[in-house]
Amino acid sequence: MDSDVILVIVIATALAFDFTNGFHDTANAVATSVSTRAMAPRTAVALAAVLNFIGAFISLEVAATIANGIVEADAITETIVFAGLIEAIAWNLITWYFGLPSSSSHALIGGVAGAAFVAAGPDAVLGDGLIEKVFIPALVAPLLAFATAAMAILLTYRIVGRLRPGPVNRGYRVGQIVSGSLFSLAHGTNDAQKTMGIIALALVAHGDLAAGADPLVLGDPLRGDRDRARDLLRRLADHPDDGQPDHQDGSGAGLQRAGRRRGRDPRREPPRVPAVDDAHDLRRDHGRGRGAPALRRAVGSRGQHRARVGAHRPRRGDDRAAAWGISRIFGEGALGAVIVSLCVVRPRRRRARAPPSAWARDHRRA
Amino acid sequence: MRTLAAIDTEGLFELIWTAPLAALVVTLTFALCIYGAARAGDSRRLGRTVAATAYGALAVVAAAVFAASVVFGVLIITSKD
């Protein structure tokens, strides 16, 4: 029980660290866009927040490094994680107060490594991992960025330096929005996952996660959802659309029903789509029994689950292929699914209420 | 020596040459896009149709390469997990 309370405190502290990290680092991504008036401050912060959020779900590399590559997970206790987090929060607040641009990542890693060093001895700190994944990048990144930016600005001045300032300023404002957005996305893939790694360490210390296990299991529920979504999109895209009304319901259930009616070889039927087929089976097995009207409302009169996006209205096969194709443009990660979802999910139109018929008016009066 | 052996020197050198190269390619294509668009506008105002078309084409090609490089970067981010 006490251990559970400590775990909750550690996770709450980790989230508090993420909060300080947000107001500390988000400004870095959008500072140039705001200072050059490419974007309004609120718009810039909102954009950075959304892209950081998306970035957190795209990759899990940094979480793995924090959980497995810096300290020995076996030697870590919740108290060590808590001490590291408190140090990182304090550092973030102090540097924010004095307006110092500092790295939250290095503060966090230093805090956890220092606490582990004192509490569990030098063997608890993975020196190789610290050097390869923390010290070397910390040294190389500023120097490499300095040299690259110097070359880039020389190249830019060489090309656009003698042009009229109007078009150049307008163009580079757009460029700042693009670069700021990409910076926020990349920042999300890095910084947002530090906390995920720290929570993984706390779970190892609590005994909920095996030491040395892949910390990516924290992201497994999401990965499962996005994999299922991708499989569904792929299956819908693979189904041929022969133009029959039953085949245009966008869910694959019509295809299967048509296949059963025509006595096709079951081995040649399209692959099973779990949510749709489960709904169909539910209705087939229980639809005529008790509570059938409620079940019909939930499942739908055509054996489809109404909650599934797009399943309640006709949709052509090329739409499905386009959705899958667009999602594939952005790779096999979550980004494609997120973008397609944002395009597909829209507010439901309020259906105009038809005026009551003469028969209904007469009955109401009666 | 053990510490130095822990460093992935191959990956480090790959980073050192690929990062500046990618940054310079993106910078170059975006600058060429701006240059082409600005010059195309100027040429159109001066009545030089051929030059305006050529600069416009340069702007379009540079914009396409820039967009492709951005998409490629996002793909790298999303596919590494």
Side-chain angles (χ1 to χ4, degrees):
Chain A
M1 181 64 188
D2 290 345
S3 180
D4 290 344
V5 172
I6 293 173
L7 179 66
V8 169
I9 290 172
V10 169
I11 290 176
T13 313
L15 296 178
F17 167 76
D18 233 12
F19 182 75
T20 62
N21 188 27
F23 69 69
H24 198 279
D25 280 11
T26 305
N28 296 344
V30 295
T32 53
S33 306
V34 173
S35 64
T36 55
R37 297 178 187 174
M39 278 191 287
R42 283 178 192 277
T43 312
V45 171
L47 184 69
V50 168
L51 289 170
N52 267 284
F53 183 75
I54 292 174
F57 292 106
I58 287 178
S59 168
L60 298 164
E61 285 285 312
V62 177
T65 299
I66 297 280
N68 280 337
I70 306 299
V71 289
E72 282 286 358
D74 285 330
I76 295 299
T77 63
E78 288 148 310
T79 319
I80 292 174
V81 178
F82 182 74
L85 282 168
I86 289 294
E87 180 278 330
I89 290 173
W91 179 257
N92 264 356
L93 290 174
I94 291 169
T95 52
W96 166 76
Y97 182 79
F98 289 108
L100 300 174
S102 78
S103 166
S104 307
S105 308
H106 292 95
L108 181 65
I109 291 168
V112 173
F117 183 84
V118 171
D123 290 341
V125 180
L126 299 176
D128 294 350
L130 270 179
I131 288 170
E132 188 187 357
K133 297 186 173 173
V134 182
F135 287 141
I136 297 289
L139 288 175
V140 170
L143 298 175
L144 196 60
F146 182 88
T148 307
M151 286 189 285
I153 199 70
L154 282 176
L155 190 65
T156 303
Y157 277 164
R158 187 87 182 166
I159 294 172
V160 302
R162 293 181 181 176
L163 296 176
R164 287 184 299 112
V168 175
N169 287 341
R170 282 196 296 275
Y172 275 99
R173 275 183 193 151
V174 175
Q176 280 184 349
I177 294 173
V178 175
S179 61
S181 301
L182 285 175
F183 186 84
S184 296
L185 187 71
H187 186 259
T189 62
N190 275 271
D191 266 24
Q193 286 177 41
K194 288 179 311 200
T195 314
M196 198 189 294
I198 286 296
I199 292 174
L201 272 179
L203 290 174
V204 169
H206 189 251
D208 295 325
L209 200 63
D214 191 350
L216 310 188
V217 294
L218 279 177
D220 268 357
L222 175 78
R223 292 163 70 80
D225 283 349
R226 78 186 189 202
D227 287 346
R228 279 193 290 278
R230 204 163 46 228
D231 286 347
L232 183 64
L233 281 170
R234 189 177 295 131
R235 287 173 184 180
L236 294 179
D238 288 344
H239 289 171
D241 190 342
D242 63 1
Q244 297 295 322
D246 233 8
H247 296 206
Q248 292 184 343
D249 57 7
S251 65
L255 276 170
Q256 297 202 345
R257 285 197 304 278
R260 288 188 201 110
R261 276 203 302 271
R262 291 172 193 170
R264 281 184 190 167
D265 183 356
R267 286 170 299 182
R268 298 182 62 186
E269 283 191 357
R272 182 179 170 84
V273 182
V276 175
D277 284 358
D278 290 347
H280 183 83
D281 293 345
L282 266 175
R283 184 171 177 272
R284 187 194 59 208
D285 296 341
H286 304 287
R288 299 180 202 287
R290 195 175 164 192
L295 190 60
R296 271 196 204 101
R297 277 198 298 279
V299 172
S301 60
R302 300 178 68 189
Q304 303 157 10
H305 201 299
R306 288 186 176 182
R308 182 161 290 281
V309 174
H312 61 287
R313 60 196 167 94
R315 178 162 287 205
R316 292 180 59 83
D318 46 2
D319 286 357
R320 305 165 209 156
W324 183 74
I326 291 169
S327 72
R328 288 285 295 186
I329 288 174
F330 297 94
E332 295 195 347
L335 185 64
V338 168
I339 289 173
V340 171
S341 302
L342 288 175
C343 296
V344 170
V345 178
R346 358 173 232 226
R348 183 185 288 179
R349 283 182 196 163
R350 185 171 287 177
R351 293 173 65 179
R353 210 170 193 175
S357 64
W359 181 86
R361 280 198 299 270
D362 293 344
H363 270 262
R364 201 174 293 161
R365 280 183 201 133
Chain B
M1 286 307 290
R2 181 175 165 274
T3 304
L4 288 177
I7 300 171
D8 179 10
T9 47
E10 193 179 333
L12 188 62
F13 282 121
E14 190 181 353
L15 169 79
I16 286 174
W17 73 263
T18 52
L21 180 68
L24 290 178
V25 166
V26 171
T27 304
L28 176 69
T29 52
F30 194 74
L32 285 177
C33 178
I34 302 281
Y35 180 81
R39 286 286 188 202
D42 291 345
S43 301
R44 203 177 302 115
R45 266 191 297 279
L46 294 172
R48 296 175 187 161
T49 316
V50 178
T53 308
Y55 281 124
L58 173 68
V60 169
V61 170
V65 175
F66 174 73
S69 58
V70 168
V71 170
F72 181 64
V74 173
L75 277 178
I76 288 178
I77 293 175
T78 55
S79 61
K80 183 172 169 48
D81 56 9

